[in-house]
Amino acid sequence: MKVRRRRGLGAIIATSALAAGLLASTATSATAQNSIPGVDEISHSRNMSQVAHLPKQPPFDTQAAFGTDIAFTDNHAIVGNYDGFVIYDINKPHKPRIVSQVLCPGGQNDVSVSGDLLFLSTDYARTNDSCVSEPSTSADPNSWEGIKVFDISDLANPEYVASVRTDCGSHTHTMVPDRKRGSVLLYVSSYSPAEDLPNCQPPHDKISIVEVPVKHPERAAVVATPVLFPDGGNPGGENPDGTRRSATTGCHDLTAYPQKNLMAGACMGDGVLFDLSDKLNPRIIDQVQDNVNFAFWHSATFNNAGTKVIYTDELGGGGLPTCNATFGSKRGADGIYDIRGRGDNRSLEFRSYFKIPRHQAETENCVAHNGSLIPVKGRDIMVQSWYQGGVSVWDFTDSANPKEIGYWERGPLSDTERVIGGTWSAYYYNGYIYSSDIQKGLDVLAIRDWRTAPAKWVRYDEFNAQTQPRYGR
C-alpha cells in the first residue's frame, strides 16, 4: 500500500483514525444483530450457490498479492492482481482453469480488454515500466506509474508491447473504443497530488486520456488531459457523524456508456454525469455531492436505459468494518440517482440508499464495491461485491425502494484480527457470476431466480464492467 497517496484499500489510514471513536463508542456486537458465519464458513440465500472455486496459485498466493478487477473475453476471465494478472478459461464455468499467469507487480493492476489488447493500470511507483521493476518512491522524478499494454492474441503467452506514463499513475482506467480513429481510448483515473511529488502536482483536477492505435499499440500515448473541475470540486470536510469526506482531486472511477454517449464519474467528493459526444473532451452535464453520508465516491453503474446511476461510497477505502450497527444503513452504501430531463438539462436526482442488510463481524472489512448489471430486460438488477460482506444481488427497478434478492458470502478470514480480504469485484457474464476474492481466488456463482432467469440468454464475446454495453432493444 502507498503511504503518500490514499489509494483503494490504502485509504484506511486517515479514515480509520477518524472512525475509531465511532467504533469505540458502541458496544453493539454485529453477532447480536444476525448470525455471522464462522471463519471461512459459507452462507448464502436459497437462490444462490457456488459452482466452482479456484484458489490463487503461486506466485500470486501470498497475502499481499491481492486479487483485483476482472475483464472478460471469448469465455475467458482476466483477473488483475497487485503482482500481475491471471487468465482463466471459463468455457466450462464449473471447471475453470488457469491458462496463463503474468508476473508484473504494480498495484492495483486493474484490467480491461479490447480484442487482442489487454490494458493494465499501475498505481504504485516503480523504478521503471518493466515487469521486473522494483518499488520506488513517488518523490523520485524518475519513478514510473501509468498504463501497460499487452497483446493477448495468444492467451497462453501474453506479450508486453507498450507503456504510457500518466500523471499520478493510473488507479483505474475505462476503455472506450473509437472506431473512427481506429483506436481505443483509455480514460485514466488518478488522484491525491502533493507538492513533493514531481509527477503528481496539485491541483490535478483532470483525467488523462491515452490513445492506443489498434493496429500499432506500440504507439500508445496521452492525447488529452481535460480539466474536469476548474472550480476545484468538493473541498472535503467533516460529515455530521465526525468522519471525513474526501476532497475532489481527480476521479477514482469512470464508467462509460458509449451507446448513450454518457459517462458517470465517481470523483472522490463528487458524483458526475458527463456527455461523451466529443470523446477527447468529456463535458459535465451535472455534478452532485452528498455531504451527509458519502465519504468517498468510488464507482458508478448505469441502468440499461441510461436513466439511473448507482454510485458507491467506499467509506474507509475498503479497509474498515462498516457493515454494522455503528455505521448503519446509509454509510458505506450505494446511492441511487435518477437522471431527469433531456440533453444539457439532464440532472441527477437522489432517490435512496442501498446497503446489504446483514451485519458483518468487526474483523471483516466490508463496504460497497464493484459490480455490474444482470442483463434482464425491463428490470434494473445488479450484482455487487462488498469485500468480506460477500456478493449481493439486488433490484433497484423501483429507485426509491431497492431490495436484495440474493446473496453469497464467506465468514471472516479471522475472528481475532482484521485481515484485508473478501470479494473485490463480482460481475455477471454469460449466465454466471464471477467473483475475484482478494485472498481466496476465483469464485463462480449461480443464481436461480425468476427475476434473473432471462439474463441466461444474453451473451457477450467481451465484457468490461466500466464500458457498459446495451442489451435488448
Side-chain angles (χ1 to χ4, degrees):
M1 293 182 185
K2 282 186 177 177
V3 175
R4 61 91 168 169
R5 295 204 298 271
R6 289 177 290 154
R7 298 294 181 83
L9 289 170
I12 64 172
I13 299 170
T15 313
S16 59
L18 289 160
L22 281 172
L23 293 173
S25 68
T26 178
T28 301
S29 168
T31 307
Q33 305 296 322
N34 59 276
S35 178
I36 296 174
V39 172
D40 285 342
E41 180 184 352
I42 289 176
S43 175
H44 60 89
S45 56
R46 291 183 179 180
N47 60 355
M48 288 187 68
S49 61
Q50 182 188 56
V51 300
H53 171 66
L54 193 55
K56 294 192 299 186
Q57 302 295 311
F60 302 135
D61 57 340
T62 67
Q63 194 174 101
F66 291 179
T68 60
D69 212 4
I70 318 173
F72 299 88
T73 181
D74 191 25
N75 283 321
H76 287 75
I78 304 175
V79 180
N81 186 287
Y82 270 53
D83 284 345
F85 61 90
V86 184
I87 300 179
Y88 296 89
D89 183 332
I90 53 173
N91 272 290
K92 298 178 180 179
H94 290 75
K95 295 182 179 180
R97 65 180 183 87
I98 292 176
V99 176
S100 59
Q101 299 191 132
V102 175
L103 184 64
C104 195
Q108 303 185 149
N109 281 337
D110 273 16
V111 293
S112 70
V113 63
S114 180
D116 289 336
L117 298 177
L118 169 72
F119 312 105
L120 198 68
S121 280
T122 298
D123 195 37
Y124 279 22
R126 310 294 297 181
T127 50
N128 56 60
D129 64 351
S130 74
C131 284
V132 293
S133 64
E134 296 292 332
S136 183
T137 169
S138 297
D140 180 356
N142 297 313
S143 66
W144 187 90
E145 300 172 273
I147 291 287
K148 296 186 176 90
V149 183
F150 289 79
D151 182 323
I152 55 169
S153 52
D154 180 355
L155 290 166
N157 295 286
E159 180 185 357
Y160 183 12
V161 296
S163 69
V164 181
R165 181 192 225 160
T166 56
D167 289 347
C168 296
S170 174
H171 189 62
T172 63
H173 69 270
T174 300
M175 186 278 298
V176 176
D178 190 338
R179 292 177 177 84
K180 290 183 179 180
R181 298 169 67 96
S183 63
V184 170
L185 298 177
L186 306 178
Y187 295 78
V188 174
S189 296
S190 55
Y191 54 91
S192 292
E195 293 287 354
D196 62 339
L197 304 177
N199 299 316
C200 187
Q201 289 289 293
H204 193 69
D205 293 319
K206 64 181 182 180
I207 59 172
S208 297
I209 302 178
V210 174
E211 182 174 22
V212 185
V214 172
K215 293 184 179 179
H216 295 283
E218 71 280 0
R219 299 177 186 171
V222 174
V223 293
T225 54
V227 174
L228 306 181
F229 306 103
D231 63 351
N234 195 326
E238 188 172 289
N239 286 325
D241 63 4
T243 57
R244 297 283 300 177
R245 63 179 178 272
S246 296
T248 297
T249 59
C251 293
H252 181 280
D253 262 293
L254 299 165
T255 295
Y257 197 160
Q259 288 172 295
K260 299 283 186 180
N261 280 328
L262 289 174
M263 186 164 69
C267 300
M268 304 180 70
D270 293 86
V272 188
L273 182 67
F274 297 93
D275 180 292
L276 207 57
S277 300
D278 182 347
K279 291 184 173 62
L280 296 185
N281 293 284
R283 184 170 55 84
I284 291 178
I285 301 173
D286 196 24
Q287 185 174 344
V288 292
Q289 299 175 353
D290 180 344
N291 294 333
V292 175
N293 289 310
F294 263 45
F296 188 91
W297 297 67
H298 173 276
S299 53
T301 302
F302 288 99
N303 69 336
N304 189 53
T307 58
K308 303 176 186 179
V309 185
I310 305 299
Y311 290 102
T312 66
D313 173 21
E314 196 188 32
L315 170 65
L320 288 180
T322 75
C323 300
N324 51 34
T326 303
F327 286 98
S329 61
K330 297 179 181 179
R331 304 298 317 282
D334 296 312
I336 304 169
Y337 287 76
D338 284 354
I339 301 174
R340 299 293 193 185
R342 295 184 178 182
D344 287 351
N345 292 321
R346 282 173 288 189
S347 61
L348 293 163
E349 180 182 304
F350 174 77
R351 297 304 307 282
S352 64
Y353 296 102
F354 172 78
K355 192 172 183 180
I356 57 172
R358 295 167 306 285
H359 287 171
Q360 304 296 307
E362 295 302 322
T363 58
E364 292 183 284
N365 57 304
C366 177
V367 75
H369 212 235
N370 297 341
S372 72
L373 296 182
I374 295 182
V376 179
K377 186 179 179 181
R379 300 186 74 94
D380 299 326
I381 301 177
M382 184 174 180
V383 59
Q384 185 176 9
S385 286
W386 291 78
Y387 289 114
Q388 289 194 69
V391 175
S392 175
V393 175
W394 58 289
D395 188 320
F396 61 102
T397 306
D398 181 350
S399 301
N401 296 285
K403 59 182 179 181
E404 184 176 76
I405 62 176
Y407 74 92
W408 183 94
E409 66 167 306
R410 286 188 176 89
L413 289 165
S414 169
D415 56 9
T416 59
E417 61 179 334
R418 194 180 306 161
V419 179
I420 298 299
T423 174
W424 181 289
S425 296
Y427 301 138
Y428 189 92
Y429 178 73
N430 293 353
Y432 292 87
I433 294 167
Y434 294 86
S435 168
S436 167
D437 189 288
I438 293 170
Q439 301 295 350
K440 298 292 187 179
L442 181 71
D443 289 303
V444 185
L445 310 176
I447 180 165
R448 296 175 178 85
D449 189 284
W450 65 270
R451 289 160 290 195
T452 63
K456 282 279 189 179
W457 303 103
V458 179
R459 289 290 182 270
Y460 297 113
D461 294 327
E462 183 177 289
F463 181 74
N464 299 284
Q466 289 178 305
T467 311
Q468 284 195 222
R470 182 175 179 269
Y471 56 83
R473 294 188 182 275

